[in-house]
Amino acid sequence: MAEGSWPGERLIDAAQGGDLESIAALVSGSHPHVRRFARTLCASPEDAEDAAQEALIILYRKIGTLRASGALASWMFRIVRNECLRRARLRPRHYEVPDVSVVSAEDEVLQRLEAGRVAAAIAALPADQRHVLIMRDIQGYSGRMVADALGLSLPAMKSRLHRARASVQRTLQGAPESVPGDGDD
């Protein structure tokens, strides 16, 4: 497995088939990505660690329910997002005299709720667009690396990325879902 990349489809397929060594390798290989998701979505470092651990437990227990091996990153992103939101709802609210830290904490929760909307918009993308968007904009890979990893020409990768970004933007603005066809790659 390349440094910084998600586990490959062969490993995922073997894990889905119940191979214990593959499941362990899958959980281990997914851990850095899951932690990164959790750190960006959860309200506190403690919640992020707990959410990441819970997501990895779910991965271990439910890998067989993953429909497509290529959807691992988006599946894990949704699990982490949901766990962070659950933890935010369970967090006790203190009704003390408001100060600057309370206001910034409220702003932080609002930002995290917006992150949840973004995650849902990304999860709703067609798989080919979602993969490009996650690799390019979330994981930070170069356009050439994304194109090579997905077996695409650079123009095809850019086209998918553009459509994915436009679709996410429309979803967040509440516009109807009218995405041009995918046949021009």
Side-chain angles (χ1 to χ4, degrees), residues 118-167:
V118 171
I122 292 170
L125 290 171
D128 59 337
Q129 292 178 20
R130 186 175 56 245
H131 291 246
V132 169
L133 183 81
I134 288 172
M135 290 179 77
R136 185 72 177 98
D137 291 351
I138 295 174
Q139 294 177 328
Y141 293 118
S142 71
R144 170 56 52 208
M145 286 177 69
V146 172
D148 290 346
L150 297 176
L152 300 170
S153 67
L154 191 57
M157 186 283 305
K158 287 180 179 180
S159 176
R160 286 185 187 180
L161 181 61
H162 173 76
R163 284 194 305 272
R165 287 173 176 166
S167 179

Side-chain angles (χ1 to χ4, degrees), residues 85-124:
L85 289 173
R86 186 183 74 77
R87 290 179 180 284
R89 285 191 293 268
L90 293 175
R91 186 175 286 281
R93 293 193 173 102
H94 299 285
Y95 296 102
E96 298 171 4
V97 176
D99 64 8
V100 176
S101 66
V102 172
V103 172
S104 65
E106 288 173 1
D107 288 342
E108 187 173 333
V109 168
L110 290 174
Q111 288 173 351
R112 295 195 189 289
L113 289 174
E114 183 65 17
R117 287 185 62 227
V118 171
I122 292 170

Side-chain angles (χ1 to χ4, degrees), residues 1-180:
M1 178 173 20
E3 179 69 29
S5 65
W6 281 88
E9 287 194 35
R10 272 194 243 149
L11 180 63
I12 295 168
D13 290 340
Q16 286 177 304
D19 180 67
L20 293 179
E21 286 182 25
S22 297
I23 293 171
L26 180 63
V27 169
S28 175
S30 299
H31 186 245
H33 306 290
V34 170
R35 284 183 76 201
R36 186 170 56 247
F37 286 162
R39 286 180 183 156
T40 61
L41 294 173
C42 287
S44 71
E46 296 81 15
D47 282 352
E49 286 302 316
D50 291 345
Q53 289 301 316
E54 185 63 29
L56 292 170
I57 290 168
I58 291 170
L59 172 63
Y60 180 82
R61 290 182 180 159
K62 297 190 176 185
I63 185 60
T65 65
L66 179 63
R67 285 186 226 127
S69 58
L72 178 66
S74 59
W75 187 54
M76 294 307 299
F77 188 82
R78 282 192 308 273
I79 292 170
V80 170
R81 180 200 68 211
N82 291 341
E83 187 61 24
C84 289
L85 289 173
R86 186 183 74 77
R87 290 179 180 284
R89 285 191 293 268
L90 293 175
R91 186 175 286 281
R93 293 193 173 102
H94 299 285
Y95 296 102
E96 298 171 4
V97 176
D99 64 8
V100 176
S101 66
V102 172
V103 172
S104 65
E106 288 173 1
D107 288 342
E108 187 173 333
V109 168
L110 290 174
Q111 288 173 351
R112 295 195 189 289
L113 289 174
E114 183 65 17
R117 287 185 62 227
V118 171
I122 292 170
L125 290 171
D128 59 337
Q129 292 178 20
R130 186 175 56 245
H131 291 246
V132 169
L133 183 81
I134 288 172
M135 290 179 77
R136 185 72 177 98
D137 291 351
I138 295 174
Q139 294 177 328
Y141 293 118
S142 71
R144 170 56 52 208
M145 286 177 69
V146 172
D148 290 346
L150 297 176
L152 300 170
S153 67
L154 191 57
M157 186 283 305
K158 287 180 179 180
S159 176
R160 286 185 187 180
L161 181 61
H162 173 76
R163 284 194 305 272
R165 287 173 176 166
S167 179
V168 168
Q169 185 175 17
R170 276 192 304 277
T171 299
L172 295 176
Q173 292 173 345
E177 281 293 316
S178 59
V179 179

